[in-house]
């Protein structure tokens, strides 16, 4: 299991040090939650902040766009150093056009689905996706409870990926920790985002090691 700590739960006054801390703790990806106070009722940071953080780790930047018009900002996030860009099928942007913008920049594209959206919404684009992000909470805030019903979507998606012989990764985001990660692993998840479980722990490395050890 790969672990992507969500920086949403870090101490933003020492953002750079927090990135270094979870890098050393064994983070596989850095999950960066971009919110516009429109697509979700919360506001975080944008491309200029990501650009400044980029030199401080070699780990891939997994940028999760929770914004209404992602197509308008793809160029900015690619230039800022995103390695993976996830945008929501529920956004106002055209999926095909937005994917093409990401592809043209040589960045890995991903589509995200909110809890009430059927996972089949990503199927027309699946062959082009590096990853599918299945939300296991309503996007907007860290610290919410994991929705186990979303594992039905993960299983269906895992089956579809296998039938098509693809190598698309499945990521889940929201409420992942020591009590929920095994359920996600058993359903076929490749990457778990974890905010509270990593940044709320006294020892980030111990928290990451424990979650990985539970997935066996
Ligand atoms: C929620 C964000 C998540 C969030 C996860 O909208 O997309 O990445 O930070 O936080 P936890 O792990 O605390 O649920
Ligand atoms: Zn996220």
């Amino acid at each position: 299991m790969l672990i992507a700590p969500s920086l949403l739960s870090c101490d933003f006054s020492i953002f750079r040090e927090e990135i270094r801390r979870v890098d050393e703790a064994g983070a596989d990806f850095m999950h960066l939650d971009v919110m516009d106070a429109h697509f979700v009722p919360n506001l975080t940071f944008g491309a200029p902040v990501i650009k400044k953080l980029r030199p401080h780790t070699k780990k891939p930047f997994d940028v999760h766009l929770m914004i209404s018009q992602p197509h308008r900002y793809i160029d900015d996030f690619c230039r800022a150093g995103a390695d993976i860009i996830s945008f929501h099928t529920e956004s106002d942007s055209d999926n095909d056009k937005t994917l093409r913008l990401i592809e043209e920049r040589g960045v890995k594209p991903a589509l995200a689905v909110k809890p009430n959206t059927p996972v089949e919404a990503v199927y027309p684009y699946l062959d082009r996706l590096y990853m599918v992000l299945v939300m296991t909470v309503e996007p907007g805030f860290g610290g919410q409870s994991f929705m186990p019903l979303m594992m039905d979507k993960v299983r269906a998606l895992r089956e579809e990926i296998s039938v098509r012989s693809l190598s698309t990764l499945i990521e889940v985001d929201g409420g992942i920790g020591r009590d929920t990660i095994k359920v996600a692993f058993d359903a076929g998840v490749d990457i778990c985002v974890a905010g509270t479980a990593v940044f709320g722990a006294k020892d980030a490395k111990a928290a990451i090691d424990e979650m990985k050890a539970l997935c066996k």
Side-chain angles (χ1 to χ4, degrees):
M1 178 69 78
L2 299 172
I3 304 290
S6 164
L7 278 300
L8 184 62
S9 299
C10 83
D11 180 345
F12 285 133
S13 71
I14 49 165
F15 211 155
R16 177 173 74 185
E17 285 78 4
E18 293 284 72
I19 290 247
R20 286 186 179 159
R21 185 163 73 89
V22 288
D23 181 331
E24 284 163 17
D28 295 294
F29 294 161
M30 299 294 167
H31 185 83
L32 295 155
D33 289 301
V34 176
M35 306 186 189
D36 65 353
H38 188 262
F39 184 75
V40 289
N42 197 3
L43 184 62
T44 57
F45 48 81
V49 171
I50 291 175
K51 189 174 185 179
K52 286 290 181 185
L53 294 169
R54 183 62 280 189
H56 300 288
T57 177
K58 291 194 169 73
K59 302 283 169 74
F61 273 12
D62 167 24
V63 176
H64 178 193
L65 299 181
M66 287 163 275
I67 63 179
S68 293
Q69 303 201 318
H71 71 280
R72 293 177 56 195
Y73 304 94
I74 295 302
D75 204 39
D76 291 348
F77 287 102
C78 291
R79 284 174 195 272
D83 296 281
I84 307 165
I85 295 184
S86 302
F87 66 97
H88 276 266
T89 55
E90 305 87 357
S91 75
D92 298 338
S93 299
D94 180 80
N95 287 339
D96 176 58
K97 283 187 188 140
T98 309
L99 282 173
R100 213 177 309 143
L101 290 171
I102 301 171
E103 288 161 352
E104 280 167 4
R105 286 274 172 198
V107 170
K108 298 181 170 87
L111 267 171
V113 285
K114 297 209 284 185
N116 290 329
T117 303
V119 74
E120 287 75 13
V122 309
Y123 286 6
Y125 312 96
L126 198 54
D127 304 46
R128 298 164 67 184
L129 301 177
Y130 172 74
M131 183 175 92
V132 176
L133 169 49
V134 176
M135 291 304 300
T136 41
V137 298
E138 279 301 331
F141 299 92
Q144 304 181 75
S145 297
F146 177 76
M147 299 172 146
L149 275 179
M150 297 303 121
M151 295 307 100
D152 291 346
K153 289 194 212 176
V154 171
R155 281 185 284 270
L157 179 60
R158 174 53 64 209
E159 175 66 18
E160 186 69 18
I161 290 168
S162 151
V163 165
R164 296 201 206 177
S165 303
L166 299 173
S167 51
T168 323
L169 299 173
I170 304 177
E171 180 176 64
V172 289
D173 184 5
I176 296 290
R178 65 154 73 88
D179 299 329
T180 50
I181 197 158
K182 180 72 162 66
V183 174
F185 175 72
D186 289 342
V189 169
D190 302 292
I191 307 163
C192 278
V193 176
T196 312
V198 171
F199 289 97
K202 279 202 188 90
D203 181 343
K205 183 174 186 324
I208 292 173
D209 287 348
E210 184 187 12
M211 285 192 283
K212 285 184 178 251
L214 286 164
C215 298
K216 280 191 177 127

